[in-house]
Amino acid sequence: MDLSPRPERERQAFRLLNEEEQARWNGFRRAAPRREFALCRGALRVILCQRLACSNEELTFEDGEHGKPSAVVRGQPASVSFNISHSGRHGLIALAGRGRLGVDVEPRSSRRNLDVLIGETLTPAEQSRLAGAGANRRRQLFFRLWTMKEALVKALGTGFQLHISEFEIPAAMCNGKKLCEFRFPHLPELRWRLENIGNPEFAAAIAHEISGK
């Protein structure tokens, strides 16, 4: 989704929100978070209503134990998984018929302190892979790894119980592979489909639970 400022589109999105969501929108002090929330939640509502064949008024959301929302239609849990990510001008929504789902999108900003982020989020082996890369390649690789890690943690849905520095992305994904199967070290019985969907403008990833063994 394009989240750049467009007042009329933002007004249309705001009208799709229910009272609780509009109150949440009012709680944001700055214009950018308000815009991002309204556009993302409005788009999600349109997509889910089409997928679930319901009206906007029949659709609500319920937060799970760790804050991850799920869709409810006419008071009943909906048979669809979804996840949202947004950063700057970019928003990302993914849907699946079954299995947990996580997405992440990040602009490859040059304003962030990359050394600090690398130390806080990557394993020693991942940091070594980035050490010999030139500045531009290093930035590209870091954001590729970061979004994949964030997508996996969001798919798992356990909140802050697992930090992204505690697991490693397969080396092949650093070397340009777009798709792989992933297993968390502490949950080897679960399989995840991990996909890098970034482009030259932004990094992005999707993690989707496949099944058990």
Side-chain angles (χ1 to χ4, degrees):
M1 296 175 292
D2 178 7
L3 303 182
S4 55
R6 295 182 188 174
E8 179 53 35
R9 189 178 58 162
E10 293 171 45
R11 286 191 289 269
Q12 291 173 353
F14 180 80
R15 288 194 288 268
L16 292 171
L17 308 183
N18 62 21
E19 289 185 8
E20 181 181 344
E21 291 164 333
Q22 290 182 2
R24 182 175 168 186
W25 179 90
N26 276 311
F28 294 111
R29 295 184 178 181
R30 295 186 295 114
R34 284 185 171 188
R35 178 176 67 253
E36 292 166 5
F37 175 74
L39 292 177
C40 286
R41 185 55 68 97
L44 177 64
R45 281 184 163 277
V46 170
I47 292 168
L48 286 176
C49 286
Q50 292 173 346
R51 175 72 175 261
L52 301 171
C54 68
S55 70
N56 187 48
E57 291 72 25
E58 292 173 321
L59 174 65
T60 57
F61 297 97
E62 191 174 83
D63 288 341
E65 180 183 355
H66 299 286
K68 190 173 183 179
S70 59
V72 177
V73 176
R74 306 177 197 98
Q76 298 298 317
S79 57
V80 65
S81 303
F82 68 86
N83 199 233
I84 294 181
S85 177
H86 57 81
S87 182
R89 295 187 299 106
H90 307 291
L92 178 62
I93 296 175
L95 273 72
R98 64 177 63 183
R100 287 172 286 181
L101 193 63
V103 297
D104 192 55
V105 60
E106 294 287 344
R108 295 186 178 93
S109 172
S110 60
R111 295 190 298 271
R112 297 180 179 179
N113 189 325
L114 207 60
D115 289 334
V116 171
L117 288 171
I118 288 172
E120 291 177 346
T121 60
L122 303 188
T123 67
E126 290 168 336
Q127 292 180 41
S128 295
R129 292 192 192 105
L130 269 65
N136 186 58
R137 170 112 176 118
R138 187 166 174 255
R139 184 169 298 280
Q140 295 279 331
L141 286 175
F142 168 73
F143 281 101
R144 184 186 305 171
L145 289 170
W146 191 20
T147 52
M148 287 190 284
K149 285 171 170 268
E150 289 286 353
L152 283 163
V153 167
K154 290 176 70 178
L156 190 60
T158 57
F160 296 109
Q161 291 183 6
L162 177 67
H163 191 268
I164 62 175
S165 63
E166 297 177 40
F167 61 90
E168 193 167 300
I169 298 298
M173 299 297 279
C174 278
N175 297 329
K177 190 175 181 181
K178 293 290 187 181
L179 182 67
C180 76
E181 182 178 301
F182 176 86
R183 297 180 189 236
F184 287 102
H186 69 300
L187 293 170
E189 70 279 6
L190 296 178
R191 297 186 298 129
W192 304 83
R193 182 181 188 271
L194 178 61
E195 186 173 3
N196 167 28
I197 60 169
N199 65 23
E201 189 176 359
F202 57 81
I206 299 178
H208 181 211
E209 184 179 12
I210 303 172
S211 66
K213 295 180 181 179

